[in-house]
Amino acid sequence: MKPSVILYKKLPDDLLARLESHFVVTQLNDLSPQTVQQNAQVFADAQGILGSSETVDKAFLEHTPKLRVASTVSVGYDNFDVDALTSRGIALMHTPTVLTETVADTMMTLVLATARRAVEVAERVKAGEWQGSIGPDWFGIDVHHKTLGILGMGRIGLALAQRAHFGFNMPILYNARRHHQEAEDRFNARYCDLDTLLAESDFVCISLPLTDETYHLIGAEQLAKMKSSAILINAGRGPVVDEKALIQALMDGTIHAAGLDVFEQEPLPVDSPLLSLPNVVALPHIGSATHETRYNMAACAVDNLIAALSGNVKENCVNPQVLK
Ligand SMILES: NC(=O)c1ccc[n+]([C@@H]2O[C@H](COP(=O)([O-])OP(=O)(O)OC[C@H]3O[C@@H](n4cnc5c(N)ncnc54)[C@H](O)[C@@H]3O)[C@@H](O)[C@H]2O)c1
Ligand SMILES: O=C(O)[C@H](O)CO
């Protein structure tokens, strides 16, 4: 008999058909306690789950005694209690690599949009304010040849460094737990401690995962160490930055601007002060959101689930120790 799996994200038809050729698939909207309660038997029978963004913690796992694989349509997995999954022998599969270049494009978009004030001035044009030659109140700042600091020199950090180095002639600084020879050899990136990176970068770019260590890594103290002309870019996870401290720093001129794809609370509440600051470009967590990349992520997650439930995993497992 085919294993039962729960799908909690919409898939393109061809990928759904592929999933259904291997499994008995139940489609649900989410993994909320209410959904679990209303579909208790489905959760009790499920050997796999596939979707994104929902919390999978100890309380959830109590309802899934047969679960063997969780396949997330994302590279980030901070919404999973990995220790709880591992202690139950459940494999966590994710989708690195297929989204790397697209997310780096998004980060470069934020660098350019904040520096050149693209959103702000485009809105002024739409509002009919372009009535003659523009003056300094429409000007931005240069990106090329400025120093770009990277926090999180992993797959996405490297792809960002490539763009900044070759495309914009930017010196690259990075802080990490170890030296990254590839970044140093290919992009002339210079390793430095966090304080030096904050003090010397014109753009501080975050592509870090959210962990206990990175939670509020950037707070008031760190923002105060940045140049007042510097711009903060965050496409890692919202809680890596203390958002209250960031709002204050943007309001009092401690830093120049921020380009944000991720927030402490998503969707960003409509009354967030961030939305009334002209020096903020706020995107709705679109790092990987192109048609091509979202398809490739979904395909990767389907393949990951098939591989893991058939004992054939070659890559993309967060906790490979459960496979031994
Ligand atoms: N905005 C989006 O839509 C979007 C899309 C994809 C990924 N992301 C986020 O980007 C993150 C990175 O993705 P990736 O594929 O580059 O992952 P990765 O694992 O290749 O890179 C993460 C890097 O951060 C480093 N790191 C972790 N903790 C650190 C710490 N305390 N100090 C310094 N460095 C630390 C790791 O060593 C690694 O090099 C994901 O975990 C996710 O949270 C966001
Ligand atoms: O981690 C990821 O893949 C992105 O943030 C999409 O959720």
Side-chain angles (χ1 to χ4, degrees):
M1 213 172 86
K2 290 182 192 172
S4 296
V5 304
I6 292 169
L7 175 64
Y8 57 100
K9 186 180 182 74
K10 286 213 163 37
L11 287 182
D13 290 348
D14 60 325
L15 296 180
L16 179 59
R18 177 160 164 69
L19 202 64
E20 285 176 335
S21 70
H22 287 79
F23 310 119
V24 175
V25 179
T26 303
Q27 294 195 56
L28 298 171
N29 288 334
D30 53 51
L31 301 181
S32 66
Q34 199 190 7
T35 302
V36 174
Q37 197 185 19
Q38 287 165 354
N39 300 276
Q41 196 54 49
V42 175
F43 282 89
D45 291 339
Q47 296 190 42
I49 56 173
L50 188 154
S52 69
S53 307
E54 298 284 305
T55 299
V56 173
D57 56 12
K58 271 192 195 131
F60 170 82
L61 293 177
E62 280 172 18
H63 302 279
T64 58
K66 295 186 182 162
L67 193 64
R68 291 162 52 209
V69 180
S71 179
T72 180
V73 190
S74 65
V75 63
Y77 48 83
D78 46 279
N79 49 322
F80 288 86
D81 183 336
V82 180
D83 289 342
L85 288 168
T86 304
S87 68
R88 277 269 310 274
I90 300 166
L92 174 59
M93 308 296 293
H94 70 149
T95 64
T97 316
V98 288
L99 47 56
T100 298
E101 301 293 329
T102 300
V103 181
D105 285 350
T106 304
M107 294 188 79
M108 211 61 223
T109 302
L110 285 170
V111 167
L112 291 163
T114 47
R116 300 302 301 273
R117 299 166 64 194
V119 176
E120 187 191 347
V121 298
E123 277 170 2
R124 288 177 68 182
V125 173
K126 282 189 181 166
E129 286 182 44
W130 186 24
Q131 298 291 343
S133 295
I134 61 152
D137 62 321
W138 295 71
F139 295 174
I141 54 171
D142 277 336
V143 170
H144 62 85
H145 295 93
K146 294 284 178 64
T147 299
L148 185 123
I150 298 179
L151 296 177
M153 188 55 100
R155 289 170 290 252
I156 295 168
L158 266 180
L160 176 64
Q162 180 179 29
R163 282 155 178 72
H165 175 69
F166 290 118
F168 296 86
N169 284 306
M170 301 173 89
I172 311 287
L173 302 178
Y174 75 100
N175 173 252
R177 292 173 297 186
R178 61 177 182 84
H179 284 255
H180 288 259
Q181 206 52 49
E182 188 186 351
E184 298 187 11
D185 293 346
R186 290 178 63 202
F187 314 127
N188 207 19
R190 180 162 69 85
Y191 177 88
C192 58
D193 62 33
L194 180 59
D195 284 357
T196 306
L197 184 145
L198 294 170
E200 292 186 12
S201 298
D202 297 303
F203 298 89
V204 173
C205 298
I206 301 172
S207 52
L208 283 165
L210 175 61
T211 64
D212 290 346
E213 254 180 65
T214 64
Y215 177 80
H216 281 195
L217 182 73
I218 302 299
E221 201 186 315
Q222 289 70 33
L223 291 162
K225 289 178 178 157
M226 288 172 62
K227 297 179 189 180
S228 58
S229 57
I231 294 178
L232 182 79
I233 305 295
N234 188 8
R237 282 290 183 264
V240 173
V241 177
D242 177 345
E243 209 163 274
K244 268 199 189 133
L246 174 63
I247 291 164
Q248 193 58 48
L250 288 163
M251 290 198 307
D252 63 20
T254 303
I255 66 168
H256 179 60
L260 308 169
D261 187 44
V262 290
F263 302 88
E264 292 219 56
Q265 189 188 328
E266 296 180 6
L268 183 62
V270 288
D271 61 353
S272 167
L274 287 171
L275 294 178
S276 49
L277 292 172
N279 51 346
V280 169
V281 174
L283 300 180
H285 202 142
I286 57 155
S288 61
T290 63
H291 290 292
E292 301 93 325
T293 293
R294 282 293 169 88
Y295 179 89
N296 291 337
M297 290 165 68
C300 179
V302 167
D303 289 345
N304 285 341
L305 187 60
I306 294 168
L309 279 177
S310 57
N312 208 10
V313 172
K314 294 193 178 64
E315 57 186 0
N316 301 339
C317 186
V318 171
N319 53 350
Q321 63 271 39
V322 304
L323 304 171
K324 285 173 192 144

